């Protein structure tokens, strides 16, 4: 961790020493911070950040609900699920932003297209992780529970659900990261607010100091979101000690 801090501080110092101005491709750090202060005081940065975070939250929530339903179906009727859900494997290879024009055509311009793109992108990491979990539930644990007279409800609550929860949380971490990528790209297509929308607007107007400010905000908020989620998930599922492949 100390080496990371040293490396990060070194990059900040190097950037601060760059003798460039706001019109250059890489403006000086002071110009970027000044632009960020102006954008925050104007209310634009706060409004754009709130809009993007709300879209990610809504999209990831939809993705989680859909993934849980699909995984439950796969667990209850595995043979039927494999037959019915096979198109998901085809859709998984589709870049989420590729459905952006379709969502705008169907839903118009606004929050809905961006939320759908986020949900589409976040769904597959969560679903794949949950599906992996349904296929790797420890049969020995279930058998032991049966031997001790555990009812079906008890087996679900104390064996199946904890196992799937760990996989769901692992997939949700990846889904949050993908959702954050997707919302920025989706906002560049058909939104009137948001970090992606404002970033594109600033770049078109050659406001490189503001553009770099938004790039930094996007990176820092995305990193903080996943780090916070990982910390919270470890508290919710303390039994998860090893990385679960999604």
């Amino acid at each position: 961790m100390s080496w990371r801090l040293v490396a990060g501080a070194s990059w900040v110092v190097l950037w601060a020493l760059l003798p460039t101005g706001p019109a250059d491709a890489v403006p000086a750090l002071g110009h970027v911070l000044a632009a960020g202060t102006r954008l925050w005081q104007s209310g634009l940065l706060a409004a754009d950040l709130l809009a993007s975070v709300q879209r990610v939250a809504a999209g990831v929530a939809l993705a989680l609900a859909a993934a849980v339903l699909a995984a439950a179906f796969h667990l209850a009727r595995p043979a039927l699920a494999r037959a019915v859900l096979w198109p998901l494997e085809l859709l998984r290879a589709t870049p989420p932003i590729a459905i952006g024009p379709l969502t705008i055509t169907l839903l118009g311009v606004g929050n809905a297209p961006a939320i759908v793109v986020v949900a589409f992108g976040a769904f597959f990491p969560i679903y794949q992780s949950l599906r992996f979990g349904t296929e790797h539930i420890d049969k020995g644990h279930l058998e032991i529970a049966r031997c001790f007279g555990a009812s079906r409800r008890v087996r679900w609550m104390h064996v199946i659900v904890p196992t799937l929860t760990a996989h769901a949380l692992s997939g949700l971490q990846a889904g949050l990261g993908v959702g954050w990528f997707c919302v920025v790209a989706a906002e560049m297509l058909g939104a009137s607010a948001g970090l992606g929308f404002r970033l594109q607007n600033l770049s078109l107007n050659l406001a490189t100091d503001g553009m770099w400010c938004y790039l930094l905000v996007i990176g820092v908020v995305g990193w903080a979101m996943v780090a916070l989620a990982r910390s919270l998930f470890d508290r919710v599922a303390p039994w998860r000690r090893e990385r679960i492949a999604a």
Side-chain angles (χ1 to χ4, degrees):
M1 180 61 70
S2 59
W3 283 108
R4 292 181 181 179
L5 292 176
V6 171
S10 300
W11 280 106
V12 171
V13 171
L14 179 61
W15 191 2
L17 295 176
L18 285 176
T20 55
D24 295 289
V26 183
L29 180 60
H31 291 293
V32 174
L33 296 178
T37 301
R38 292 195 304 271
L39 289 165
W40 183 264
Q41 291 175 344
S42 69
L44 284 177
L45 180 54
D48 290 333
L49 178 59
L50 180 61
S52 295
V53 170
Q54 287 177 336
R55 288 166 182 155
V56 170
V60 172
L62 285 175
L64 177 62
V68 168
L69 289 175
F73 181 42
H74 185 83
L75 185 63
R77 296 288 187 273
L80 183 59
R82 283 192 292 269
V84 173
L85 300 180
W86 67 267
L88 293 179
E89 293 300 318
L90 300 179
L91 292 175
R92 188 159 63 98
T94 304
I97 195 59
I99 71 167
L102 177 61
T103 59
I104 293 174
T105 301
L106 295 175
L107 303 173
V109 176
N111 283 329
I115 291 173
V116 170
V117 171
V118 171
F120 182 86
F123 169 79
F124 292 100
I126 302 173
Y127 170 65
Q128 288 298 111
S129 188
L130 277 171
R131 181 175 174 180
F132 182 87
T134 62
E135 295 173 349
H136 292 81
I137 295 173
D138 196 316
K139 301 298 190 297
H141 291 171
L142 289 174
E143 189 60 33
I144 292 173
R146 289 193 193 94
C147 291
F148 279 93
S151 65
R152 181 180 178 85
R153 185 186 68 83
V154 170
R155 293 197 299 270
W156 265 88
M157 294 303 298
H158 293 277
V159 179
I160 296 176
V161 170
T163 299
L164 294 184
T165 298
H167 286 273
L169 298 181
S170 179
L172 194 53
Q173 289 182 33
L176 276 172
V178 174
W180 188 244
F181 298 154
C182 290
V183 76
V184 173
E187 288 171 345
M188 292 182 178
L189 293 179
S192 57
L195 296 176
F197 164 79
R198 195 71 57 191
L199 177 63
Q200 185 181 47
N201 184 269
L202 290 167
S203 67
L204 291 175
N205 288 281
L206 301 180
T208 55
D209 49 353
M211 183 182 69
W212 274 94
C213 169
Y214 268 72
L215 285 172
L216 288 176
V217 170
I218 290 169
V220 170
V221 173
W223 171 83
M225 184 183 298
V226 175
L228 179 61
R230 184 181 299 113
S231 176
L232 292 175
F233 295 162
D234 286 342
R235 290 178 180 273
V236 172
W239 58 85
R240 189 188 62 181
R241 299 300 182 189
E242 61 184 16
R243 186 184 302 272
I244 302 174

